[in-house]
Coordinates of all heavy atoms in Angstrom, one line a residue:
M1 N 59.1 -36.6 191.1 CA 60.0 -37.4 191.8 C 60.1 -36.9 193.3 O 60.1 -35.7 193.5 CB 61.4 -37.3 191.2 CG 61.9 -38.6 190.8 SD 63.5 -38.5 189.9 CE 64.6 -39.3 191.2
R2 N 60.0 -37.9 194.2 CA 60.1 -37.5 195.6 C 61.6 -37.3 196.0 O 62.5 -38.0 195.5 CB 59.5 -38.6 196.4 CG 58.0 -38.7 196.3 CD 57.4 -39.8 197.1 NE 57.9 -41.1 196.7 CZ 57.6 -42.2 197.3 NH1 56.9 -42.2 198.4 NH2 58.1 -43.4 196.9
C3 N 61.8 -36.4 196.9 CA 63.2 -36.2 197.4 C 63.7 -37.4 198.2 O 64.8 -37.8 198.1 CB 63.3 -34.9 198.2 SG 62.7 -33.5 197.3
V4 N 62.8 -37.8 199.1 CA 63.2 -38.9 200.0 C 62.4 -40.2 199.6 O 61.1 -40.1 199.5 CB 62.9 -38.6 201.4 CG1 63.3 -39.7 202.4 CG2 63.7 -37.3 201.8
N5 N 63.1 -41.3 199.4 CA 62.4 -42.5 199.2 C 62.1 -43.2 200.5 O 62.9 -43.1 201.4 CB 63.3 -43.5 198.4 CG 62.9 -43.5 196.9 OD1 61.7 -43.3 196.6 ND2 63.8 -43.7 196.1
W6 N 60.9 -43.8 200.6 CA 60.6 -44.5 201.8 C 60.3 -46.0 201.5 O 59.7 -46.3 200.5 CB 59.3 -43.9 202.5 CG 59.5 -42.5 203.0 CD1 59.5 -41.4 202.2 CD2 59.9 -42.1 204.3 NE1 59.8 -40.3 203.1 CE2 60.0 -40.7 204.3 CE3 60.1 -42.9 205.5 CZ2 60.4 -40.0 205.5 CZ3 60.5 -42.2 206.6 CH2 60.6 -40.8 206.6
L7 N 60.9 -46.8 202.3 CA 60.7 -48.2 202.0 C 59.7 -48.8 203.0 O 59.9 -48.7 204.2 CB 62.0 -49.0 202.2 CG 63.2 -48.5 201.3 CD1 64.4 -49.4 201.6 CD2 62.8 -48.6 199.9
P8 N 58.7 -49.5 202.5 CA 57.7 -50.1 203.4 C 58.4 -51.4 204.1 O 59.1 -52.1 203.4 CB 56.6 -50.5 202.5 CG 57.2 -50.6 201.2 CD 58.3 -49.7 201.1
V9 N 58.1 -51.5 205.4 CA 58.6 -52.7 206.1 C 57.5 -53.3 206.9 O 56.7 -52.6 207.5 CB 59.7 -52.2 207.1 CG1 60.2 -53.4 208.0 CG2 60.9 -51.6 206.4
T10 N 57.4 -54.6 206.8 CA 56.4 -55.3 207.6 C 57.1 -56.0 208.7 O 58.0 -56.8 208.5 CB 55.6 -56.4 206.7 OG1 55.0 -55.7 205.6 CG2 54.5 -57.0 207.6
C11 N 56.7 -55.6 209.9 CA 57.3 -56.1 211.1 C 57.0 -57.7 211.2 O 55.9 -58.1 211.1 CB 56.7 -55.5 212.4 SG 57.3 -56.2 213.9
P12 N 58.1 -58.4 211.4 CA 57.9 -59.9 211.5 C 57.3 -60.3 212.8 O 56.9 -61.5 213.0 CB 59.3 -60.4 211.4 CG 60.2 -59.3 211.8 CD 59.5 -58.0 211.5
T13 N 57.2 -59.4 213.8 CA 56.7 -59.8 215.1 C 55.2 -59.4 215.2 O 54.4 -60.2 215.6 CB 57.5 -59.1 216.2 OG1 58.9 -59.4 216.1 CG2 57.0 -59.5 217.6
C14 N 54.9 -58.2 214.9 CA 53.5 -57.7 215.0 C 52.8 -57.6 213.7 O 51.5 -57.3 213.7 CB 53.4 -56.4 215.8 SG 54.1 -55.0 214.9
F15 N 53.5 -57.7 212.6 CA 52.9 -57.7 211.2 C 52.3 -56.3 210.9 O 51.5 -56.2 209.9 CB 51.9 -58.8 211.0 CG 52.5 -60.1 211.2 CD1 52.3 -60.9 212.4 CD2 53.4 -60.7 210.3 CE1 52.9 -62.1 212.6 CE2 54.0 -61.9 210.5 CZ 53.7 -62.6 211.7
E16 N 52.7 -55.3 211.7 CA 52.3 -53.9 211.3 C 53.2 -53.4 210.2 O 54.4 -53.9 210.1 CB 52.3 -53.0 212.5 CG 51.2 -53.3 213.5 CD 49.8 -52.9 213.0 OE1 49.7 -52.1 212.1 OE2 48.9 -53.5 213.6
T17 N 52.8 -52.5 209.4 CA 53.6 -52.0 208.3 C 54.0 -50.5 208.7 O 53.2 -49.8 209.2 CB 52.9 -52.0 207.0 OG1 52.6 -53.3 206.7 CG2 53.8 -51.5 205.9
F18 N 55.3 -50.2 208.5 CA 55.7 -48.8 208.7 C 56.7 -48.6 207.6 O 57.1 -49.5 206.8 CB 56.3 -48.6 210.1 CG 57.4 -49.5 210.4 CD1 58.7 -49.0 210.2 CD2 57.2 -50.7 211.0 CE1 59.8 -49.9 210.6 CE2 58.3 -51.6 211.3 CZ 59.6 -51.1 211.1
E19 N 57.3 -47.4 207.6 CA 58.2 -47.0 206.5 C 59.5 -46.5 207.1 O 59.5 -45.8 208.1 CB 57.6 -46.0 205.6 CG 56.4 -46.5 204.7 CD 55.9 -45.5 203.7 OE1 55.9 -44.3 204.1 OE2 55.7 -45.9 202.6
I20 N 60.6 -46.8 206.5 CA 61.9 -46.3 206.9 C 62.4 -45.4 205.7 O 62.1 -45.7 204.5 CB 62.9 -47.4 207.2 CG1 63.1 -48.3 206.0 CG2 62.3 -48.2 208.4 CD1 64.4 -49.2 206.2
P21 N 63.2 -44.5 206.0 CA 63.9 -43.7 204.9 C 64.8 -44.6 204.2 O 65.6 -45.4 204.8 CB 64.7 -42.6 205.7 CG 64.1 -42.6 207.1 CD 63.6 -44.0 207.3
A22 N 64.8 -44.6 202.9 CA 65.6 -45.5 202.1 C 67.1 -45.2 202.3 O 67.4 -44.0 202.2 CB 65.2 -45.4 200.6
P23 N 67.9 -46.1 202.5 CA 69.3 -45.9 202.6 C 69.9 -45.6 201.2 O 69.2 -45.8 200.2 CB 69.9 -47.1 203.2 CG 68.9 -48.2 202.8 CD 67.6 -47.6 202.7
D24 N 71.2 -45.3 201.1 CA 71.8 -45.1 199.9 C 71.8 -46.4 199.1 O 71.8 -47.5 199.6 CB 73.3 -44.6 200.1 CG 73.4 -43.2 200.5 OD1 72.4 -42.4 200.4 OD2 74.4 -42.8 201.1
R25 N 71.9 -46.2 197.8 CA 71.9 -47.4 196.9 C 73.1 -48.3 197.2 O 73.0 -49.5 197.0 CB 71.9 -46.9 195.4 CG 71.7 -48.0 194.4 CD 71.7 -47.5 193.0 NE 71.7 -48.5 192.1 CZ 71.9 -48.3 190.7 NH1 72.0 -47.1 190.3 NH2 71.9 -49.4 189.9
Q26 N 74.2 -47.7 197.6 CA 75.4 -48.5 198.0 C 75.1 -49.4 199.1 O 75.9 -50.3 199.4 CB 76.6 -47.6 198.3 CG 77.0 -46.7 197.1 CD 76.4 -45.3 197.2 OE1 75.1 -45.2 197.0 NE2 77.1 -44.3 197.5
E27 N 74.1 -49.1 199.9 CA 73.8 -50.0 201.0 C 73.1 -51.3 200.7 O 72.9 -52.1 201.5 CB 72.8 -49.2 202.0 CG 73.4 -47.9 202.6 CD 74.4 -48.2 203.6 OE1 74.2 -49.1 204.5 OE2 75.5 -47.6 203.5
A28 N 72.8 -51.5 199.4 CA 72.1 -52.7 199.0 C 73.0 -53.9 199.4 O 74.2 -53.9 199.2 CB 71.9 -52.7 197.4
G29 N 72.3 -54.9 199.9 CA 73.0 -56.1 200.4 C 73.5 -56.0 201.8 O 73.8 -57.0 202.4
S30 N 73.3 -54.9 202.4 CA 73.8 -54.7 203.8 C 72.6 -55.0 204.8 O 71.4 -55.0 204.3 CB 74.3 -53.4 204.1 OG 73.4 -52.4 203.9
Q31 N 72.9 -55.2 206.0 CA 71.8 -55.5 207.0 C 71.8 -54.4 208.0 O 72.9 -53.9 208.4 CB 72.1 -56.9 207.7 CG 71.9 -58.0 206.7 CD 71.9 -59.3 207.4 OE1 72.7 -59.6 208.3 NE2 71.0 -60.2 206.9
I32 N 70.7 -54.0 208.5 CA 70.5 -52.9 209.4 C 69.7 -53.4 210.6 O 68.6 -54.0 210.4 CB 69.8 -51.7 208.7 CG1 70.5 -51.3 207.5 CG2 69.6 -50.6 209.7 CD1 69.8 -50.2 206.7
D33 N 70.2 -53.2 211.8 CA 69.4 -53.5 213.0 C 68.4 -52.4 213.2 O 68.7 -51.2 213.1 CB 70.3 -53.5 214.2 CG 71.2 -54.7 214.2 OD1 70.8 -55.8 213.8 OD2 72.4 -54.6 214.6
Y34 N 67.2 -52.7 213.4 CA 66.1 -51.7 213.5 C 65.1 -52.2 214.6 O 64.9 -53.4 214.7 CB 65.4 -51.6 212.2 CG 64.8 -50.2 212.0 CD1 65.5 -49.2 211.5 CD2 63.4 -50.0 212.3 CE1 64.9 -47.9 211.3 CE2 62.8 -48.8 212.1 CZ 63.6 -47.8 211.6 OH 63.0 -46.5 211.5
D35 N 64.5 -51.3 215.3 CA 63.5 -51.6 216.3 C 62.2 -51.2 215.6 O 62.0 -50.1 215.1 CB 63.7 -50.8 217.6 CG 64.9 -51.4 218.4 OD1 65.3 -52.5 218.1 OD2 65.4 -50.6 219.2
C36 N 61.2 -52.1 215.7 CA 59.9 -51.8 215.1 C 59.3 -50.6 215.8 O 59.4 -50.4 217.0 CB 58.9 -53.0 215.4 SG 57.3 -52.7 214.9
E37 N 58.7 -49.7 214.9 CA 58.2 -48.5 215.4 C 56.8 -48.7 216.0 O 56.3 -47.8 216.7 CB 58.0 -47.5 214.2 CG 59.4 -47.1 213.6 CD 59.3 -46.1 212.5 OE1 58.1 -45.7 212.1 OE2 60.3 -45.6 212.0
V38 N 56.3 -49.9 215.9 CA 55.0 -50.2 216.5 C 55.1 -50.9 217.8 O 54.6 -50.5 218.8 CB 54.1 -50.9 215.5 CG1 52.7 -51.2 216.1 CG2 53.9 -50.2 214.2
C39 N 55.8 -52.1 217.7 CA 55.9 -52.9 218.9 C 57.3 -52.9 219.6 O 57.5 -53.5 220.6 CB 55.6 -54.3 218.6 SG 56.7 -55.2 217.6
C40 N 58.3 -52.1 219.0 CA 59.6 -51.9 219.5 C 60.4 -53.2 219.6 O 61.5 -53.2 220.2 CB 59.6 -51.3 220.9 SG 58.9 -49.6 220.8
R41 N 60.0 -54.3 218.9 CA 60.8 -55.5 218.9 C 62.0 -55.3 217.9 O 61.8 -54.7 216.8 CB 60.0 -56.7 218.5 CG 58.9 -57.0 219.6 CD 59.5 -57.8 220.7 NE 60.0 -59.1 220.2 CZ 60.9 -59.8 220.9 NH1 61.4 -59.4 222.0 NH2 61.2 -61.0 220.5
P42 N 63.1 -55.8 218.2 CA 64.2 -55.7 217.3 C 64.1 -56.6 216.1 O 63.5 -57.6 216.2 CB 65.5 -56.1 218.1 CG 64.9 -57.0 219.2 CD 63.5 -56.5 219.5
M43 N 64.6 -56.1 215.0 CA 64.6 -56.9 213.7 C 65.8 -56.6 212.9 O 66.5 -55.6 213.2 CB 63.3 -56.6 212.9 CG 63.3 -55.3 212.3 SD 61.8 -54.9 211.4 CE 60.7 -54.4 212.8
V44 N 66.1 -57.4 212.0 CA 67.2 -57.1 211.1 C 66.6 -56.9 209.7 O 65.9 -57.7 209.1 CB 68.2 -58.3 211.0 CG1 69.3 -58.0 210.0 CG2 68.8 -58.5 212.4
L45 N 66.9 -55.7 209.1 CA 66.5 -55.4 207.8 C 67.6 -55.7 206.8 O 68.7 -55.3 207.0 CB 66.1 -53.9 207.7 CG 65.1 -53.4 208.6 CD1 64.9 -51.9 208.4 CD2 63.8 -54.1 208.4
T46 N 67.3 -56.4 205.8 CA 68.2 -56.6 204.7 C 67.8 -55.8 203.5 O 66.7 -55.9 203.0 CB 68.2 -58.1 204.3 OG1 68.5 -58.9 205.4 CG2 69.3 -58.4 203.2
I47 N 68.7 -54.9 203.1 CA 68.4 -54.0 201.9 C 68.7 -54.8 200.6 O 69.8 -55.3 200.4 CB 69.3 -52.7 202.0 CG1 69.1 -52.1 203.4 CG2 68.9 -51.8 200.9 CD1 67.6 -51.7 203.7
V48 N 67.7 -54.8 199.8 CA 67.8 -55.6 198.5 C 67.6 -54.6 197.4 O 66.6 -53.8 197.4 CB 66.8 -56.7 198.5 CG1 66.9 -57.5 197.2 CG2 67.0 -57.7 199.7
E49 N 68.4 -54.7 196.4 CA 68.2 -53.9 195.2 C 67.4 -54.7 194.2 O 67.9 -55.6 193.5 CB 69.5 -53.4 194.6 CG 69.3 -52.4 193.5 CD 70.6 -51.7 193.1 OE1 71.6 -52.2 193.3 OE2 70.5 -50.6 192.5
E50 N 66.1 -54.5 194.1 CA 65.2 -55.3 193.3 C 65.4 -55.0 191.8 O 65.3 -55.9 191.0 CB 63.7 -55.0 193.7 CG 63.4 -55.2 195.1 CD 63.1 -56.6 195.5 OE1 63.2 -57.5 194.7 OE2 62.7 -56.8 196.7
A51 N 65.7 -53.8 191.5 CA 65.9 -53.3 190.1 C 66.9 -52.2 190.3 O 67.0 -51.6 191.4 CB 64.6 -52.9 189.5
P52 N 67.6 -51.8 189.2 CA 68.5 -50.7 189.3 C 67.9 -49.5 190.0 O 66.9 -48.9 189.5 CB 68.9 -50.4 187.9 CG 68.8 -51.8 187.2 CD 67.6 -52.4 187.9
G53 N 68.4 -49.1 191.1 CA 67.9 -47.9 191.8 C 66.7 -48.1 192.6 O 66.1 -47.2 193.2
E54 N 66.2 -49.4 192.6 CA 65.0 -49.7 193.3 C 65.3 -50.6 194.5 O 65.5 -51.8 194.3 CB 64.0 -50.3 192.4 CG 62.5 -50.1 192.7 CD 61.6 -50.6 191.6 OE1 61.6 -50.0 190.6 OE2 61.0 -51.6 191.9
L55 N 65.3 -50.0 195.7 CA 65.6 -50.7 196.9 C 64.4 -51.2 197.6 O 63.3 -50.6 197.5 CB 66.4 -49.9 197.9 CG 67.8 -49.3 197.4 CD1 68.4 -48.5 198.4 CD2 68.7 -50.5 197.0
S56 N 64.5 -52.3 198.3 CA 63.4 -52.7 199.2 C 64.1 -53.3 200.4 O 65.3 -53.7 200.4 CB 62.5 -53.7 198.6 OG 63.1 -55.0 198.4
A57 N 63.3 -53.4 201.5 CA 63.8 -53.8 202.8 C 63.1 -55.1 203.2 O 61.9 -55.1 203.3 CB 63.7 -52.8 203.9
H58 N 63.8 -56.2 203.5 CA 63.2 -57.4 203.9 C 63.5 -57.5 205.4 O 64.7 -57.5 205.8 CB 63.8 -58.6 203.2 CG 63.5 -58.6 201.7 ND1 63.7 -59.7 200.9 CD2 62.9 -57.7 200.9 CE1 63.3 -59.5 199.7 NE2 62.8 -58.2 199.7
A59 N 62.5 -57.7 206.2 CA 62.7 -57.7 207.7 C 62.6 -59.2 208.2 O 61.9 -60.0 207.7 CB 61.5 -56.9 208.3
A60 N 63.5 -59.4 209.1 CA 63.6 -60.7 209.8 C 63.6 -60.5 211.3 O 64.3 -59.6 211.7 CB 64.8 -61.5 209.3
S61 N 62.8 -61.3 212.0 CA 62.9 -61.2 213.4 C 64.2 -61.7 213.9 O 64.7 -62.7 213.4 CB 61.7 -62.0 214.0 OG 61.9 -62.2 215.4
L62 N 64.7 -61.2 215.0 CA 65.9 -61.7 215.6 C 65.7 -63.1 216.1 O 66.6 -63.9 216.2 CB 66.4 -60.8 216.8 CG 67.0 -59.5 216.4 CD1 67.5 -58.8 217.6 CD2 68.1 -59.7 215.4
D63 N 64.4 -63.4 216.5 CA 64.1 -64.8 216.9 C 64.3 -65.8 215.8 O 64.5 -67.0 216.1 CB 62.7 -64.8 217.4 CG 62.4 -63.9 218.6 OD1 63.4 -63.6 219.3 OD2 61.3 -63.4 218.8
D64 N 64.2 -65.4 214.6 CA 64.3 -66.3 213.5 C 65.8 -66.6 213.1 O 66.1 -67.6 212.4 CB 63.6 -65.8 212.2 CG 62.1 -65.7 212.4 OD1 61.6 -66.3 213.3 OD2 61.5 -64.9 211.6
L65 N 66.7 -65.8 213.6 CA 68.1 -66.0 213.3 C 68.7 -66.7 214.5 O 68.6 -66.4 215.6 CB 68.7 -64.6 213.2 CG 68.0 -63.6 212.2 CD1 68.7 -62.3 212.2 CD2 68.2 -64.2 210.7
S66 N 69.5 -67.7 214.1 CA 70.2 -68.5 215.1 C 71.6 -68.4 214.9 O 72.1 -68.0 213.8 CB 69.6 -69.9 215.2 OG 69.6 -70.5 213.9
Ligands
LIG1 ZN1 56.3 -54.7 215.4

């Protein structure tokens, strides 16, 4: 078992993939403002609990949000 979970994120602007440290499980359902580590464009990550204890991050470009 790894000590730190990393969540893969695909940037909605440049489509590069990077990883963020997984937040606490209680963070599921919350949204996090994040800047892409590749192109530095802002995005909003939505933390989703896909299965018990299994988080994933869905990224949306700020341009897509109105
Ligand atoms: Zn990017």
Side-chain angles (χ1 to χ4, degrees):
M1 241 176 110
R2 291 179 297 175
C3 301
V4 179
N5 260 328
W6 293 85
L7 301 183
V9 174
T10 302
C11 174
T13 303
C14 69
F15 301 104
E16 292 289 338
T17 302
F18 59 94
E19 292 186 318
I20 62 164
D24 287 341
R25 191 177 167 187
Q26 298 93 290
E27 297 288 315
S30 65
Q31 295 191 319
I32 302 171
D33 290 323
Y34 206 86
D35 290 336
C36 175
E37 294 183 357
V38 181
C39 70
C40 297
R41 293 280 295 160
M43 71 184 81
V44 175
L45 302 177
T46 304
I47 305 303
V48 179
E49 190 168 23
E50 307 275 6
E54 208 171 286
L55 298 177
S56 72
H58 294 191
S61 162
L62 287 186
D63 299 334
D64 294 340
L65 308 172
S66 50

